[in-house]
Amino acid sequence: MDKPSQAALFVWLREQASSACAFQGRIIGRYPEADSAGTAHSFRLIYRDLETEPALADWLARLECDFSMARLLRGCGLYGAEISLAQPLSQAQRLAFPGHLGAELFIPSGALAQLNKPGLLVMDMDSTAIEIECIDELAAMAGVGEAVAAVTERAMLGELDFEQSLRQRVAQLAGADAGIIDRLCADLPLMPGLREMVTELKSHGWRLVLASGGFTPFVSHLQQLLQLDAAFANELVIEQGKLRGEVRGRVVDAQFKADVVSSSAERWQIAEGQRLAIGDGANDIPMVTAADFGIAFHAKPKLAAAADAGIERLDLRVLPYLLRLG
């Protein structure tokens, strides 16, 4: 592969203003993201490093059909392009995509939500907005980590009823010092790309909500840290500085999280087509299917199969590139 000449396709798209580029014996046209290219089929490439561009250009050259391109400009620190074709990608072409080099291929199945119009994103917390499962970390700090982690994994895979599994896990925390909550809050590891994604969406007037099967101290901490619009989670019962091994009130289960999508959209009058949800586990399936556009993030197989799109290799900065700016 002639890497310099291949990379020139993306250099043209990123750095030049001309409306067309010669590439592999074809003339590639440019169009604004806000416009349709006049073709029935399009897909998006999102990638992390410029070093990936020659491999992406080589893959495009092998499509053996004419296409046009739009540059996707976001403030998230990734690179993106939309490609419009006269025909859909074949399964073989999809499988040949060089995603292992740090790129995502996104093929829309319908109209995209619009980034620069008011929208709603409802997020799961554990393993989506943050890198950990809070219940597992609390359990490890309380000395019952292995027993709780095993139940968590089965719940995430959809093998256990969520409320039952939650109560089983929380019961293991009975008698633990409540100070472990504050210690974990002080060192809560944000998912890579979370801050950039939140900043980009908020700059366009989006509403951001956490709906978590975890616990209120952690969603409250994130809400304050990131200036999110709302947060919902389960309340741990604490008495005399100790965890009682119980949760108070209605459990934030899969249906509750799905209801947050509709109630939040109604609260802020978010138009149909502008309601998104993102999560990673089977418990998020009702939430992502209740949204107009559901996203699976580094997800378990059941959620990946149910979602409209998946982020498989890169971080949360990808999400704004899955929305249309126009």
Side-chain angles (χ1 to χ4, degrees):
M1 180 176 67
D2 182 353
K3 291 187 177 182
S5 69
Q6 297 289 56
L9 176 67
F10 286 94
V11 173
W12 162 73
L13 187 66
R14 285 188 286 105
E15 299 180 6
Q16 299 177 21
S18 58
S19 61
C21 173
F23 174 68
Q24 297 290 307
R26 288 170 277 180
I27 300 298
I28 309 304
R30 179 201 307 269
Y31 63 95
E33 181 185 351
D35 296 347
S36 120
T39 61
H41 307 286
S42 67
F43 59 87
R44 292 187 168 203
L45 309 176
I46 303 99
Y47 53 102
R48 183 174 49 231
D49 302 312
L50 297 181
E51 289 77 8
T52 307
E53 290 181 345
L56 292 174
D58 184 62
W59 178 75
L60 288 171
R62 296 172 189 272
L63 297 183
E64 299 181 348
C65 63
D66 292 335
F67 60 86
S68 53
M69 305 178 70
R71 186 182 181 191
L72 306 179
L73 281 169
R74 305 290 186 269
C76 298
L78 298 177
Y79 301 95
E82 181 177 89
I83 316 296
S84 285
L85 304 164
Q87 60 194 41
L89 292 177
S90 68
Q91 182 65 15
Q93 289 167 337
R94 296 183 192 194
L95 291 174
F97 180 72
H100 63 286
L101 298 178
E104 301 276 2
L105 171 64
F106 169 59
I107 303 174
S109 58
L112 299 178
Q114 196 159 334
L115 176 59
N116 54 337
K117 287 187 176 180
L120 168 71
L121 176 64
V122 179
M123 300 178 282
D124 178 42
M125 179 179 68
D126 294 348
S127 298
T128 299
I130 61 176
E131 293 188 285
I132 60 172
E133 294 286 327
C134 285
I135 181 67
D136 291 351
E137 297 300 318
L138 290 176
M141 296 166 81
V144 292
E146 290 187 8
V148 167
V151 180
T152 297
E153 180 64 16
R154 292 186 64 194
M156 292 292 291
L157 291 170
E159 297 175 359
L160 291 177
D161 170 79
F162 177 79
E163 181 172 351
Q164 181 184 24
S165 71
L166 176 70
R167 295 190 186 279
Q168 286 180 10
R169 289 176 289 173
V170 171
Q172 297 283 338
L173 301 176
D177 189 329
I180 62 177
I181 294 174
D182 293 335
R183 295 204 298 275
L184 186 55
C185 270
D187 195 30
L188 209 57
L190 303 185
M191 188 64 71
L194 176 66
R195 286 184 182 274
E196 294 90 336
M197 178 193 74
V198 166
T199 298
E200 181 78 0
L201 293 177
K202 286 175 69 69
S203 73
H204 293 285
W206 278 58
R207 299 287 185 171
L208 304 177
V209 176
L210 284 169
S212 172
F215 307 112
T216 51
F218 307 111
V219 296
S220 297
H221 174 78
L222 287 180
Q223 182 180 6
Q224 181 177 9
L225 180 68
L226 300 171
Q227 294 298 293
L228 306 178
D229 295 284
F232 303 89
N234 296 296
E235 183 181 356
L236 290 166
V237 179
I238 300 173
E239 291 182 347
Q240 297 180 340
K242 301 288 185 181
L243 297 177
R244 204 168 82 179
E246 299 175 4
V247 292
R248 178 181 289 117
R250 180 182 171 185
V251 167
V252 178
D253 59 7
Q255 186 56 52
F256 188 107
K257 294 168 76 170
D259 292 342
V260 167
V261 176
S262 56
S263 63
S264 297
E266 182 178 355
R267 175 182 177 183
W268 290 301
Q269 298 184 320
I270 304 299
E272 187 174 346
Q274 292 289 112
R275 307 162 186 178
L276 275 63
I278 185 170
D280 71 296
N283 191 53
D284 297 313
I285 292 174
M287 180 178 74
V288 301
T289 55
D292 300 316
F293 187 68
I295 303 167
F297 179 72
H298 296 187
K300 301 295 189 293
K302 287 185 178 181
L303 177 61
D308 297 297
I311 299 172
E312 299 177 359
R313 297 177 177 89
L314 302 182
D315 59 42
L316 289 172
R317 291 177 294 168
V318 169
L319 190 147
Y321 294 85
L322 306 185
L323 310 177
R324 182 170 64 90
L325 186 59

